[in-house]
Amino acid sequence: MITEIRASAPGKIILSGEHFVVHGSYSVAAAINKRVYVSVREINGKDQIVSNDISSNLDSDDGSFPAVKSVTRNILSIARNRKHSPFEISISSEIPSGSGLGSSAAVSVACSAALSEFLGIPLNKEEISNLAFKGESTVHGNPSGLDIQACQSGGLIVFKKSFETRSIHLKDPVRLLVVFSGRKRSTSKLIAKVADRRTEYPNQFQRLVDSASSGSFEMVDALKSRDLSKIGSLFTSLQVQLSWIGVSTPQLDDLIEFLYKKQEVLGAKLTGAGGGGSIIAAIKSGSEDSVLKYVSSQYPYSFVTEIPQEGLRWEKATG
Ligand code: MEV
């Protein structure tokens, strides 16, 4: 009998097209080297979810673990004729929540995979994505599906809503700096704010959607040729567009300014929903560690990630 199942999924960074992707642009995202681990094991008592010091019964509406509860309830309704032992879903994450690095997408993906396997109804990739998407939507309101795709498939992807996601092969990995500003943000509020901006300035907004699409294709070319200067200059121009739609903040601008004091920094932009969260930067090859040391003194949750990284995977059970 299965007593424990463990899966993990990576966080993500968006290199081009966040927000505009909700309104139809192409976007580029990649999995990062930080993951969320989910294990499901039999217990005595009620079905429950635990993470660090927090625990919650599945049937409690205490507002905790909204994405995981949504995924779990949907999977249980698919498996309704099957008897199952009470279970505990335990989450351990290397990604701070609210950091814009895909923690809710990663937990939704890993939970869909681990719980369905535990209940004996293994799902295919598309079914996992669909359930995870519903889970993420409870947190993010009206997401595009980009985060779920990046966390599930891993690697580097080009994504457009309602189109097939394309995986991009990189001959040589690319190293990027990721810095969490320390400010958590609400993706759903930011998505709503950007929708208002679109209503206010429909023509300018549409031009930016088109420009995000062409920026995404240029980004893919720059990544394929590992042209760090080009990646950096694209980051810089994308950041201007993100500021225009109102998702950058003075703190993120200060963080980017702080980075630009180092001449090895070739360009930087916010990644994800903005309003706080994280930024990514292209750094001259060979200088990543020294810039990381510099930025970590002020922003402790900073790291260098190589892309591509593996997507959803099974882990050895610990118990
Ligand atoms: C959030 O990581 C990315 C957004 O574009 C929202 C979405 O695509 O679902 C802001």
Side-chain angles (χ1 to χ4, degrees):
M1 194 199 320
I2 296 172
T3 54
E4 184 177 0
I5 296 286
R6 192 166 150 84
S8 75
K12 60 83 193 138
I13 48 175
I14 300 176
L15 292 98
S16 166
E18 55 269 270
H19 285 292
F20 301 111
V21 67
V22 175
H23 303 277
S25 86
Y26 282 92
S27 58
V28 180
I32 55 173
N33 59 1
K34 305 279 174 217
R35 305 184 73 85
V36 176
Y37 297 82
V38 173
S39 26
V40 184
R41 67 180 180 97
E42 275 182 37
I43 52 162
N44 294 318
K46 285 186 158 184
D47 296 342
Q48 62 171 349
I49 303 163
V50 298
S51 177
N52 300 323
D53 296 338
I54 307 170
S55 79
S56 175
N57 286 337
L58 180 61
D59 52 18
S60 141
D61 280 321
D62 56 8
S64 61
F65 307 111
V68 174
K69 283 185 181 168
S70 153
V71 167
T72 304
R73 288 171 186 158
N74 283 324
I75 292 181
L76 285 175
S77 82
I78 295 171
R80 66 178 173 274
N81 295 328
R82 286 179 183 258
K83 277 215 158 87
H84 70 270
S85 327
F87 55 79
E88 176 185 84
I89 298 173
S90 147
I91 302 158
S92 116
S93 177
E94 297 170 346
I95 308 164
S97 68
S99 60
L101 298 175
S103 66
S104 64
V107 77
S108 300
V109 166
C111 179
S112 299
L115 183 61
S116 55
E117 192 75 24
F118 177 86
L119 294 173
I121 48 156
L123 303 174
N124 64 29
K125 284 184 178 169
E126 204 186 324
E127 291 165 327
I128 289 174
S129 288
N130 288 342
L131 281 164
F133 180 74
K134 286 187 190 152
E136 199 211 10
S137 301
T138 61
V139 186
H140 288 176
N142 175 29
S144 63
L146 168 63
D147 293 12
I148 294 292
Q149 281 303 318
C151 297
Q152 203 240 84
S153 65
L156 174 70
I157 59 166
V158 174
F159 175 94
K160 178 175 159 76
K161 253 184 0 182
S162 314
F163 276 69
E164 203 172 315
T165 303
R166 200 149 47 91
S167 286
I168 306 294
H169 172 72
L170 293 183
K171 208 153 49 67
D172 299 304
V174 175
R175 299 184 83 203
L176 294 170
L177 177 68
V178 184
V179 183
F180 175 35
S181 66
R183 283 207 166 210
K184 299 192 176 201
R185 84 287 165 278
S186 152
T187 299
S188 56
K189 284 194 186 133
L190 288 150
I191 291 178
K193 179 174 175 180
V194 173
D196 288 346
R197 193 85 171 153
R198 182 197 195 191
T199 311
E200 210 176 337
Y201 301 101
N203 297 333
Q204 286 102 315
F205 194 90
Q206 187 53 46
R207 278 198 289 280
L208 290 184
V209 170
D210 296 341
S211 158
S213 284
S214 45
S216 295
F217 293 119
E218 283 184 64
M219 183 65 74
V220 168
D221 288 344
L223 288 162
K224 276 183 166 169
S225 54
R226 210 165 158 274
D227 184 343
L228 288 161
S229 303
K230 182 73 197 284
I231 296 170
S233 79
L234 285 167
F235 282 174
T236 306
S237 67
L238 291 164
Q239 173 64 18
V240 174
Q241 299 177 0
L242 290 163
S243 295
W244 188 84
I245 58 169
V247 296
S248 197
T249 62
Q251 289 78 21
L252 288 175
D253 295 343
D254 287 350
L255 163 50
I256 291 173
E257 276 306 303
F258 178 70
L259 273 175
Y260 280 141
K261 294 206 172 101
K262 289 277 167 194
Q263 60 181 21
E264 300 88 344
V265 176
L266 303 168
K269 68 179 270 292
L270 69 85
T271 184
S278 300
I279 63 98
I280 50 175
I283 312 291
K284 247 185 213 158
S285 185
S287 301
E288 298 91 342
D289 292 342
S290 69
V291 177
L292 175 63
K293 196 166 165 207
Y294 164 76
V295 75
S296 300
S297 63
Q298 296 246 359
Y299 298 92
Y301 190 85
S302 304
F303 59 95
V304 172
T305 187
E306 200 164 86
I307 55 173
Q309 296 285 333
E310 205 180 346
L312 171 65
R313 73 176 181 224
W314 298 112
E315 301 285 342
K316 227 170 149 254
T318 51

